[in-house]
Every structure is written in C-alpha cells, then in structure tokens.
Amino acid sequence: MSFYTMGIETSCDETSVSILKDQRDVLVNLVSSQIDTHKLFGGVVPEIASRMHLEAINPLIEKALLDAKLNYSDLDLIAVTKGPGLIGALLVGISAAKALSIATGKDIIGVNHMQGHICANYIADKNLEPPFVTLVVSGGHTYLCVVKSYTDYEVIGTTRDDAAGETFDKVARSIGLGYPGGVKIDKLAKEGNSQAIDFPRAWLEKDSFDFSFSGLKTAVLNFVNESKMKNNEINKADISASFQEAVMDVLVTKSMRLIDESGIKKFAISGGVAANSRLRELCTKECAKRNVKFFYPPIELCGDNAAMIAVAGFLNYQNGKSDNNYLKVYPNLSL
C-alpha cells in the first residue's frame, strides 16, 4: 500500500505544497513565488512575505490534492519546514500543517530546511544513496557535509559570516542588477572576463573547511565605489565574472579537498546557488578528474520547494521521528 506525504514549505518567499508517494515519487509540487513583489524593494520584506504566504497556502493545499487525485483522508503524514527561515513565514506553514494534522488525525513532522535541500537530490536521481559528500549553498547558508545515512549528517564546514547566496544578492545590488542577484550575475558573467579583477579568496586557517564571503563582498563594494569616485568605467560583466569566479574557486576547491580526504566517490550539490552554471561546470570537471559521480538537482528543485521537504520528512518518519501539535518554529536552526 502506498504512503502519501504532504510537504509544506514557507521559509522565505516561496509558498510551496507537494504530495509525495512513498520515498521519491513526487506526484505534485506546486510553488507560488513572491519574487516579482519583492523585486520592488530590492530584497525580501519579511512582513510582506508572511502575508503572501497566508493568501497562498490554503488554495495550494486544495489544488495539490486535486491534482494528485487524493483526499485529505488519503494522506499519511504532514511534513513542514520548521526552520531556518523568516519567523513569520515559517509560522504560516507550521500553522497550516498543525490544522491539517488536527483535522485529519495524521502525524506531523517538522523538517530542517537544509536537510530538505540535500534530499532534493534523491528526487533528481532515484539511485542516489548515502554515503556521499554534499555542498549546500542556499541564500543564507553554506554547508559542506558528509551524508552518512538518510538521516545522519556530519557537518564539516559552514558559513562564518555572509553565505554565498546572500553575497550574490548584495553584489548584484551594488552594480545595479537588482534582485534576485544569483541568476542575473550568472547570466552577465558569461559576457565578462573572470580574470579581469583579482578579487580575494578567503581560505581561512590551514585545512579549514569553513566559508567566509564577507571580505569578498566588501572588496567588490570597495572596487565599485572607488571606480565611481575616480569616474572610471564600471564593467558590470567583468565584475560579475570575477566575483563569481572567486566564490566558485573557494566552494569547489574545499569540496574537492574533502572528497580527496574522505575517499568518498559521490558528490552532490543543492540549494539556490546549485543552479549556478559555473558551479556545475567546475564541479563536473573536477569530479571527472577524480572519477567521482556528480549529482545535482534540476533548476526547479534548487530553489525552495515542498517536494524536498516531503522527502526529508518521510525519511525522518521512517527512522522513527515525529512531532506533535506543540511543534515550534526555529528561525536560526542549523543543520
């Protein structure tokens, strides 16, 4: 008999509802994006995000069931993002999940959003199994981990200050590209020279796997401001390409070093920055050199979505974990 999990994701500026059949068969994955609204403000406005989640969540739940040709009674589990994320946004998803759990009598489970990103790779490749090395690069978080089992993660490196994703947004804003910055820099970088500007790489202490992009962000902002003061031409394409190369150099070099040291022959990336074409290109090249199998989700599963939350919830539930209707939100949750 099939097991149906409803996933709910409202951690930032996408409202998403999915229905998962068993472990990896996604029947429905609906996403309502708020990007066009937040573009007006140059970034996500938390209060507006929360209100838009409230407007979208119930219609999406009803449409997901309709599209999957299921009823509320057919569901076996409600999986919902509990953190990290914007507290008001998270509360919308948690409240909806609790209401569903109470009304249907089905179990509820809170999911770490970062674990969800990792689990997007299980949807993309149904043959992927632990152990593997993974790089999670989302808007506010950067993690380098060893996935020991479906529910056991060893964090080897993490963000000390600005994460890769938020640095893309800040740099894009500084050169007038607007929000969201990642896609726009990736596109413009293809027209620029990645060696034009020697932006710094923060390698940190010897053998460290942690990440720091605050200094790089500051270097780009200083370069732009000094160029303006001197009335020098600002080549946005060269800045984009040089900045992007500095980020990817650190991400890929540290990832490959962990692969070399661990001896694990599988590597996966996930999160919003995993959609970056240069990151995929470099990882493909470096993994091929090492005879390492490289996994990455399709573009639609790199961003925030409920399908990955449903998979993570299902795996945790199968491992004996569950929550109750006292489930809380954890806006600063770590992996």
Side-chain angles (χ1 to χ4, degrees):
M1 188 178 231
S2 297
F3 189 100
Y4 295 103
T5 302
M6 174 173 279
I8 296 175
E9 156 60 27
T10 61
S11 65
C12 190
D13 60 346
E14 276 94 20
T15 313
S16 183
V17 177
S18 72
I19 295 180
L20 177 75
K21 179 181 176 183
D22 299 323
Q23 181 175 320
R24 306 193 190 197
D25 187 6
V26 179
L27 301 182
V28 178
N29 188 34
L30 304 177
V31 180
S32 176
S33 176
Q34 304 175 8
I35 286 178
D36 287 344
T37 298
H38 295 292
K39 275 181 183 177
L40 300 173
F41 307 97
V44 178
V45 181
E47 178 62 22
I48 293 176
S50 301
R51 290 178 182 274
M52 293 187 72
H53 284 308
L54 276 171
E55 294 172 1
I57 190 68
N58 286 336
L60 281 182
I61 289 172
E62 292 176 6
K63 183 170 176 20
L65 287 167
L66 184 66
D67 289 356
K69 297 181 173 57
L70 295 174
N71 298 312
Y72 287 104
S73 58
D74 295 318
L75 299 176
D76 297 288
L77 178 66
I78 313 296
V80 59
T81 303
K82 64 181 178 180
L86 303 173
I87 187 167
L90 290 166
L91 280 168
V92 174
I94 288 277
S95 299
K98 286 181 178 179
L100 281 174
S101 177
I102 292 170
T104 62
K106 306 299 182 179
D107 287 339
I108 184 172
I109 187 164
V111 173
N112 187 314
H113 184 76
M114 295 299 106
Q115 182 191 4
H117 275 306
I118 295 171
C119 290
N121 280 290
Y122 296 135
I123 303 170
D125 193 316
K126 291 180 169 54
N127 295 316
L128 174 61
E129 296 180 350
F132 57 90
V133 172
T134 186
L135 174 68
V136 188
V137 270
S138 70
H141 303 270
T142 311
Y143 286 103
L144 189 54
C145 313
V146 173
V147 179
K148 294 183 172 182
S149 74
Y150 286 116
T151 56
D152 184 14
Y153 305 84
E154 182 183 0
V155 176
I156 308 297
T158 188
T159 308
R160 292 193 182 179
D161 41 56
D162 286 7
E166 61 184 320
T167 307
F168 268 87
D169 285 336
K170 291 173 181 177
V171 167
R173 189 159 54 241
S174 76
I175 58 176
L177 296 184
Y179 175 86
V183 175
K184 295 182 177 182
I185 285 181
D186 187 9
K187 181 179 179 180
L188 188 57
K190 292 179 172 62
E191 302 173 16
N193 176 6
S194 63
Q195 307 303 314
I197 308 163
D198 186 20
F199 287 131
R201 278 78 162 151
W203 301 109
L204 305 175
E205 304 85 9
K206 185 178 182 297
D207 299 330
S208 174
F209 286 105
D210 283 349
F211 301 97
S212 170
F213 296 108
S214 179
L216 171 60
K217 172 201 67 179
T218 301
V220 177
L221 298 184
N222 286 342
F223 179 87
V224 172
N225 290 334
E226 287 175 10
S227 297
K228 289 179 179 178
M229 286 189 292
K230 295 177 181 178
N231 291 319
N232 292 338
E233 179 186 356
I234 296 176
N235 188 318
K236 295 181 181 181
D238 283 352
I239 292 173
S240 296
S242 299
F243 158 73
Q244 179 175 266
E245 197 69 13
V247 174
M248 299 310 159
D249 191 8
V250 174
L251 291 176
V252 175
T253 299
K254 293 201 173 196
S255 297
M256 293 305 120
R257 181 157 59 86
L258 179 56
I259 288 171
D260 292 341
E261 292 183 10
S262 68
I264 297 172
K265 292 297 184 179
K266 287 182 284 187
F267 176 59
I269 59 174
S270 59
V273 183
N276 182 276
S277 62
R278 182 58 174 159
L279 177 61
R280 293 180 180 223
E281 177 186 358
L282 289 172
C283 288
T284 299
K285 177 182 175 182
E286 293 301 320
C287 284
K289 286 181 184 177
R290 294 165 170 80
N291 196 28
V292 169
K293 192 166 184 183
F294 176 43
F295 301 85
Y296 53 89
I299 300 298
E300 63 269 20
L301 292 179
C302 289
D304 296 345
N305 67 89
M308 67 185 195
I309 300 302
V311 173
F314 174 85
L315 293 172
N316 291 341
Y317 188 75
Q318 292 297 305
N319 198 45
K321 298 178 182 178
S322 65
D323 291 295
N324 55 39
N325 282 299
Y326 292 100
L327 176 64
K328 299 187 296 184
V329 301
Y330 300 87
N332 298 314
L333 185 66
S334 299
L335 185 61

